């Protein structure tokens, strides 16, 4: 029935077709909306899409909106990751400066351990351990 409705809408002008399509869409329950989306995507993948031009424009608009949303999400995730990386680097730098001021020298494996650490809580604990410590082992415990 939906296929017949889409075919009929394809014979209308763009403006009316979109209005009627929206009315049909709004009248469908979620499972039917999902089934219609799946049908459209299946026909597109198969290359057998004989969809009215207005439906194709809706699909293309949806793709563009999806791409835009994906890019925004990527930017947000990138910013959060950048902030996290900046905090990690700042804490590592603080730890190394405090160790140098305390006269505590790190062995090569201890220095590598600090550089490889990606846990902010661990770095915070090590920074606090510098106070009163005499050896790198006391700091990194």
């Amino acid at each position: 029935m939906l296929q017949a409705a889409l075919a009929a809408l394809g014979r209308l002008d763009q403006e009316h077709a979109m209005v009627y399509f929206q009315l049909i869409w709004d009248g469908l329950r979620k499972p039917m909306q999902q089934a219609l989306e799946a049908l459209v995507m299946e026909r597109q993948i198969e290359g057998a899409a004989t969809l009215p031009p207005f439906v194709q424009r809706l699909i293309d608009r949806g793709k563009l909106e999806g791409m835009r949303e994906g890019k925004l999400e990527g930017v947000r995730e990138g910013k959060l990751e950048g902030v996290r990386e900046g905090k990690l680097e700042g804490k590592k730098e603080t730890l190394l400066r405090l160790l140098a001021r305390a006269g505590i020298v790190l062995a090569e494996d201890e220095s590598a351990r600090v550089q490889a650490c990606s846990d902010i809580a661990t770095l915070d604990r090590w920074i606090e351990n510098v106070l009163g410590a005499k050896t790198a082992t006391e700091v990194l415990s």
Side-chain angles (χ1 to χ4, degrees):
M1 184 170 97
L2 283 173
Q3 289 175 334
L6 288 177
L9 291 176
R11 292 188 290 270
L12 298 176
D13 63 278
Q14 168 91 14
E15 212 173 298
H16 285 96
M18 290 188 78
V19 169
Y20 286 119
F21 179 81
Q22 191 63 54
L23 287 170
I24 292 169
W25 181 261
D26 291 343
L28 296 175
R29 293 192 175 144
K30 190 71 171 171
M32 285 302 293
Q33 288 178 345
Q34 291 170 336
L36 178 57
E37 287 174 349
L39 174 70
V40 169
M41 289 302 128
E42 179 182 304
R43 293 174 102 189
Q44 285 227 316
I45 290 169
E46 292 173 353
T50 54
L51 302 171
F54 79 93
V55 174
Q56 188 59 52
R57 280 191 277 281
L58 287 172
I59 291 167
D60 293 343
R61 187 182 325 155
K63 286 178 185 176
L64 287 174
E65 288 173 12
M67 287 171 52
R68 191 173 328 133
E69 287 174 18
K71 285 179 183 178
L72 287 173
E73 183 63 26
V75 168
R76 279 190 290 266
E77 287 177 13
K79 284 181 181 178
L80 288 174
E81 183 62 26
V83 167
R84 186 178 185 290
E85 288 296 319
K87 284 182 180 180
L88 282 170
E89 291 306 311
K91 289 191 181 285
K92 289 175 190 179
E93 187 177 307
T94 299
L95 175 61
L96 295 174
R97 284 191 6 238
L98 289 172
L99 287 166
R101 281 196 88 175
I104 299 172
V105 179
L106 295 176
E108 193 173 312
D109 63 321
E110 293 167 330
S111 180
R113 185 174 167 203
V114 168
Q115 291 304 322
C117 183
S118 61
D119 182 54
I120 290 175
T122 299
L123 289 166
D124 283 338
R125 188 178 74 245
W126 290 347
I127 288 169
E128 289 188 24
N129 288 349
V130 173
L131 300 173
K134 301 268 188 263
T135 66
T137 304
E138 291 173 353
V139 173
L140 301 179
S141 61

